[in-house]
């Protein structure tokens, strides 16, 4: 039985629900990187990185190639980088909206204090 599209999307976004996985994808936006470079940039244990890379490989978000003793990871498609850019834009809009709301709340609080004084 086929998985409904909404369920497949949910599982896809769940895969992105770990900060290390997001950071790995961000690092790979500029091009393929060997594991040693990912480790240096992330400052986590090799076993933790290996576990997160395995999840990303299983879901085909990244590819791995061997160059001698070095394993190099890359985004499986440029669409992954596009998704990360879209997420950044959405978060920016959300934060801007929250700042505006905070400004309105601050102004309202100040106005109430002035009326009471």
């Amino acid at each position: 039985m086929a998985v409904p599209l909404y369920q497949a999307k949910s599982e896809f976004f769940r895969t992105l629900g770990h900060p290390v996985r997001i950071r790995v994808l961000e690092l790979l936006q500029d091009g393929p990187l060997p594991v040693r470079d990912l480790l240096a940039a992330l400052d986590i244990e090799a076993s933790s990185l290996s576990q997160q890379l395995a999840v990303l490989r299983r879901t085909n978000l990244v590819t791995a190639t061997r160059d001698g003793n070095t394993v190099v990871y890359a985004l499986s498609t440029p669409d992954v980088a596009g998704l990360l850019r879209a997420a950044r834009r959405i978060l920016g809009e959300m934060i801007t909206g929250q700042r505006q709301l905070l400004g309105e709340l601050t102004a309202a609080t100040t106005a109430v204090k002035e009326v009471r004084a």
Side-chain angles (χ1 to χ4, degrees):
M1 179 176 203
V3 174
L5 181 58
Y6 64 87
Q7 186 175 347
K9 286 180 182 179
S10 175
E11 291 170 12
F12 171 76
F13 283 109
R14 196 169 325 149
T15 299
L16 298 175
H18 194 286
V20 171
R21 289 183 219 140
I22 293 293
R23 187 64 185 128
V24 166
L25 296 175
E26 288 175 342
L27 290 168
L28 295 176
Q29 286 182 101
D30 295 328
L33 289 172
V35 172
R36 69 176 171 273
D37 291 358
L38 291 170
L39 273 171
L42 294 168
D43 193 33
I44 62 171
E45 295 292 325
S47 60
S48 295
L49 178 58
S50 177
Q51 185 178 33
Q52 300 310 323
L53 288 169
V55 172
L56 292 171
R57 275 193 323 270
R58 264 195 313 273
T59 55
N60 295 317
L61 288 169
V62 299
T63 60
T65 55
R66 187 168 287 282
D67 183 14
N69 289 335
T70 304
V71 179
V72 177
Y73 282 87
L75 296 180
S76 61
T77 172
D79 290 336
V80 176
L83 177 64
L84 294 171
R85 284 191 300 275
R88 195 174 300 122
R89 281 193 309 273
I90 292 167
L91 286 171
E93 290 171 9
M94 291 170 57
I95 291 168
T96 300
Q98 290 172 351
R99 267 195 218 129
Q100 181 180 348
L101 179 60
L102 180 59
E104 291 171 13
L105 288 170
T106 302
T109 301
T110 303
V112 168
K113 287 179 181 179
E114 289 173 359
V115 170
R116 290 185 182 165

